[in-house]
Amino acid sequence: MFTLAHLSDPHLSGWSMPQPTALLSKRVLGFLSWQLRRRFVHRQAVLDLVVADLAASRPDHVAVTGDITNISLPQEFANAALWLQRIGPPDHVSVIPGNHDRYIARPWSRHLALWDAYMTGDDPSGTAPGDDGETGRFPYLRRRGPLALIGVSSAKPMPYNSAAGHVGPEQLARLAALLARLEAEGLFRVVLIHHPPQSHATHGHKALIDAAAFREVVAQHGAELVLHGHTHRAHLDQIAGPRHRVPVLGVPSASARPYGGKPVGGYHLYRVDRGGTGWQLEIETRALRLQSGSVETTGRFRLANQVS
């Protein structure tokens, strides 16, 4: 049995007022949102309890599906690099960026390059990043035990009023080829993406623009599991696949206090095994109990026979 942990959207605190010139962009709206609301929601104390419990769970691998930062300040990327080291070494932790990690257009070398080792596939030549450090990097592939972890980026700089995502045709074409090849290898294919691929999962200005095209790739080539963040909610849905429906799961923000009907911080554990009739997937949801101040199991269920 292989155990994969999944957490998302920590929105790390601990960053200070930037230089005024840094706010001459979309960042000014994000900074105001943080000062007026979000800093009261995303709490370091909650995140520390969640991370400590994750460490005690001793998963075989950890997936972080984006939004580690808030407004993509250089200080935030440096802080996030240190935080990722707490989660584990790069070969133990797979990361994809979220929309807050691409809040504005910045050279890869001046922000996300600090997390390169966490977003690089087993065969770096397979992703072949371009001169900008990003083009061609995604999707990346990591094989861990029976799992094939496929990191897709839906994070693109968007206009002032948008938190939407976009994968793009080139990345979708590479994803399709990967899914087809990995099916032949008999691996449990886990696709990591920040934005949920269902059209009904969030409001239009926060949605995945090419969600239908993403679902079509999965419908044609299949996968065993799709994991996302972005909504700050525990979420279970499905996408049609060629032989079975593909479960799609989202997690709460790992640092959140309850707000706006959204849950307190937590994470998921996925235990994958292969029995005589197919894959067995056990899902355990863990979240902070405010009454006890500890992270506890809040749900456990099993999906069986995902492939024949």
Side-chain angles (χ1 to χ4, degrees), residues 43-308:
R43 308 299 295 176
Q44 187 64 45
V46 173
L47 182 60
D48 288 346
L49 288 168
V50 168
V51 170
D53 186 79
L54 184 149
S57 296
R58 300 178 64 84
D60 296 298
H61 199 78
V62 180
V64 183
T65 51
D67 276 4
I68 303 176
T69 69
N70 296 282
I71 59 173
S72 292
L73 292 168
Q75 178 189 10
E76 291 189 276
F77 287 102
N79 290 345
L82 294 174
W83 179 78
L84 285 171
Q85 291 174 24
R86 286 182 54 202
I87 303 301
D91 64 345
H92 183 68
V93 182
S94 295
V95 176
I96 55 168
N99 56 292
H100 281 264
D101 307 318
R102 295 297 317 279
Y103 211 66
I104 63 171
R106 299 284 291 167
W108 183 273
S109 61
R110 297 183 63 180
H111 62 312
L112 283 164
L114 291 173
W115 311 345
D116 259 351
Y118 293 90
M119 296 188 290
T120 300
D122 292 332
D123 178 10
S125 64
T127 50
D131 292 339
D132 61 359
E134 180 177 14
T135 302
R137 173 177 296 276
F138 299 100
Y140 65 75
L141 168 63
R142 291 177 157 192
R143 293 177 173 85
R144 298 292 184 271
L147 270 60
L149 293 154
I150 305 168
V152 173
S153 176
S154 59
K156 298 290 186 293
M158 289 289 170
Y160 278 80
N161 61 344
S162 176
H166 184 243
V167 177
E170 293 182 2
Q171 196 178 167
L172 287 171
R174 291 192 293 270
L175 174 62
L178 272 178
L179 290 173
R181 174 160 57 91
L182 293 166
E183 180 186 26
E185 295 180 24
L187 294 171
F188 188 96
R189 298 162 295 173
V190 182
V191 181
L192 310 177
I193 185 170
H194 180 69
H195 291 78
Q198 305 88 354
S199 58
H200 59 270
T202 189
H203 299 294
H205 70 286
K206 296 182 178 181
L208 182 65
I209 293 170
D210 47 359
F214 177 92
R215 293 194 303 270
E216 178 58 33
V217 168
V218 174
Q220 182 176 356
H221 300 285
E224 281 58 64
L225 187 61
V226 176
L227 303 180
H228 70 83
H230 193 53
T231 63
H232 298 189
R233 297 181 186 275
H235 182 80
L236 171 63
D237 210 321
Q238 295 180 326
I239 296 176
R243 279 174 293 281
H244 60 82
R245 299 190 70 81
V246 179
V248 179
L249 285 110
V251 289
S253 161
S255 62
R257 294 183 59 83
Y259 72 103
K262 295 183 180 180
V264 70
Y267 69 102
H268 291 174
L269 292 170
Y270 308 103
R271 297 183 176 93
V272 178
D273 197 9
R274 189 156 195 173
T277 58
W279 293 110
Q280 308 290 319
L281 173 63
E282 180 187 275
I283 302 163
E284 179 182 355
T285 63
R286 295 186 64 79
L288 177 64
R289 295 287 195 189
L290 294 178
Q291 297 88 341
S292 64
S294 62
V295 177
E296 303 173 10
T297 298
T298 55
R300 195 190 299 266
F301 55 100
R302 184 181 292 270
L303 300 175
N305 302 328
Q306 289 298 302
V307 293
S308 58

